[in-house]
C-alpha cells in the first residue's frame, strides 16, 4: 500500500511542477520520445525534493545490507543533487563524474577518491543507460569498482539489460510505466495520450 501511495504522490508532484511533459523531445540517449521527465524542475519543489531524497536514502540503506558501498558518485549534471543528498543522509563520501574542462586538474572524477573503492553510480533518469555506462568506464579508469547504479526513474528502454552486460545492476524508485499508470488513474492524463505513449514506448 505504501508503494502505491508513493507513486501517486510522486506522479502528482511531477505533474504539478511541470516535470513531466508530453510533446516531441530528443533524449540524451539520442532517441526521440513523446514524453520527457525533467527532474531538474523537481529541485524547485521542497516537498518533492525531500520526499525523493528520503526514498533514495532508504534504497541505499537497503543496498548497503547486501553490498559494500564506499562512495556515492553522481553523473553530471542530473545525478549530482541526488547523489549529494544520499551521501549526506547516509554519511557516505561523495564524488561526481564530469567531462574534463581542459584546465585546472582536468579531472573526470571530483570529490572522494574512488580508487579501489566500491562506487554506487547515481543519475536521475535512465533510458538506454549510456550515460551511466560512460560513468562506469570513467570510474573503472580510476581503479574504482562498480556493482550497482541507482536512478529515480527508469524509462524501461534497455538500461537494465545494457547495464547487466557491464556487470552492473540498475536499481530505481519508479518505472515510467508505473508513473503513466498513476497519472491515468488520477485522471491527470487522458486515455488517448496514455495509449499512444505506451504503444510508442513498449508496443503494448
Amino acid at each position: 500500500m505504501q508503494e502505491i501511495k508513493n507513486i501517486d504522490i510522486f506522479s502528482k508532484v511531477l505533474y504539478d511542477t511541470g516535470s513531466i511533459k508530453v510533446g516531441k523531445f530528443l533524449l540524451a540517449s539520442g532517441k526521440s520520445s513523446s514524453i520527457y521527465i525533467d527532474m531538474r524542475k523537481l529541485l524547485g519543489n521542497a516537498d518533492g525534493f525531500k520526499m525523493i531524497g528520503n526514498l533514495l536514502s532508504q534504497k541505499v540503506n537497503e543496498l548497503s545490507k547486501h553490498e559494500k558501498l564506499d562512495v556515492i558518485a553522481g553523473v553530471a549534471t542530473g545525478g549530482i543533487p541526488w547523489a549529494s543528498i544520499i551521501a549526506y543522509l547516509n554519511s557516505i563520501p561523495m564524488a561526481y563524474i564530469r567531462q574534463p574542462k581542459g584546465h585546472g586538474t582536468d579531472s573526470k572524477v571530483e570529490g572522494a577518491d574512488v580508487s579501489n573503492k566500491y562506487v554506487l553510480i547515481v543519475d536521475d533518469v535512465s533510458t538506454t543507460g549510456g550515460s551511466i555506462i560512460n560513468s562506469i568506464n570513467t570510474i573503472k579508469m580510476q581503479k574504482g569498482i562498480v556493482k550497482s547504479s541507482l536512478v529515480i526513474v527508469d524509462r524501461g528502454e534497455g538500461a537494465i539489460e545494457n547495464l547487466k552486460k557491464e556487470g552492473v545492476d540498475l536499481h530505481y524508485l519508479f518505472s515510467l510505466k508505473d508513473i503513466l499508470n498513476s497519472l491515468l488513474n488520477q485522471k491527470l492524463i487522458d486515455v488517448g495520450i496514455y495509449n499512444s505513449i505506451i504503444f510508442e514506448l513498449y508496443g503494448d
Side-chain angles (χ1 to χ4, degrees):
M1 185 65 67
Q2 185 64 33
E3 186 176 352
I4 295 174
K5 181 180 178 183
N6 283 338
I7 183 65
D8 288 340
I9 294 172
F10 178 62
S11 300
K12 183 69 160 56
V13 170
L14 288 180
Y15 180 84
D16 288 343
T17 57
S19 301
I20 189 161
K21 304 176 185 296
V22 176
K24 288 295 178 185
F25 306 97
L26 181 64
L27 306 179
S29 64
K31 285 189 170 186
S32 60
S33 177
S34 297
I35 190 160
Y36 180 67
I37 297 178
D38 185 0
M39 293 302 299
R40 292 168 180 81
K41 283 192 170 293
L42 196 62
L43 300 175
N45 182 281
D47 290 338
F49 187 36
K50 183 176 181 180
M51 172 194 173
I52 297 306
N54 286 331
L55 289 175
L56 288 169
S57 175
Q58 292 167 20
K59 193 76 170 177
V60 170
N61 273 332
E62 294 170 12
L63 287 174
S64 66
K65 295 175 183 177
H66 308 288
E67 61 183 275
K68 190 175 182 183
L69 299 176
D70 297 317
V71 177
I72 306 296
V75 178
T77 58
I80 292 177
W82 307 107
S84 299
I85 195 168
I86 293 168
Y88 172 73
L89 291 175
N90 295 79
S91 299
I92 301 174
M94 180 201 156
Y96 65 90
I97 304 106
R98 66 173 177 85
Q99 292 297 317
K101 302 277 187 174
H103 55 76
T105 61
D106 206 30
S107 177
K108 292 183 179 180
V109 181
E110 301 286 5
D113 180 16
V114 300
S115 177
N116 299 312
K117 303 289 178 62
Y118 285 88
V119 181
L120 176 70
I121 304 287
V122 175
D123 207 353
D124 51 1
V125 179
S126 57
T127 304
T128 62
S131 296
I132 296 175
I133 290 171
N134 288 339
S135 296
I136 291 167
N137 291 334
T138 299
I139 294 295
K140 286 181 176 178
M141 286 175 63
Q142 303 291 326
K143 299 183 180 178
I145 305 155
V146 183
K147 297 294 185 183
S148 290
S149 56
L150 174 62
V151 297
I152 300 166
V153 177
D154 176 52
R155 291 177 58 100
E157 297 181 76
I160 293 174
E161 296 79 8
N162 291 334
L163 285 166
K164 183 65 73 176
K165 293 174 186 175
E166 303 292 325
V168 175
D169 292 325
L170 176 64
H171 304 274
Y172 59 91
L173 296 183
F174 306 105
S175 70
L176 178 55
K177 199 168 193 177
D178 286 343
I179 292 168
L180 290 169
N181 286 334
S182 176
L183 291 172
L184 180 65
N185 291 337
Q186 296 182 77
K187 302 187 186 324
L188 297 175
I189 57 173
D190 66 49
V191 68
I193 291 174
Y194 170 85
N195 286 337
S196 66
I197 293 173
I198 289 292
F199 182 77
E200 174 192 303
L201 293 173
Y202 314 115
D204 50 41

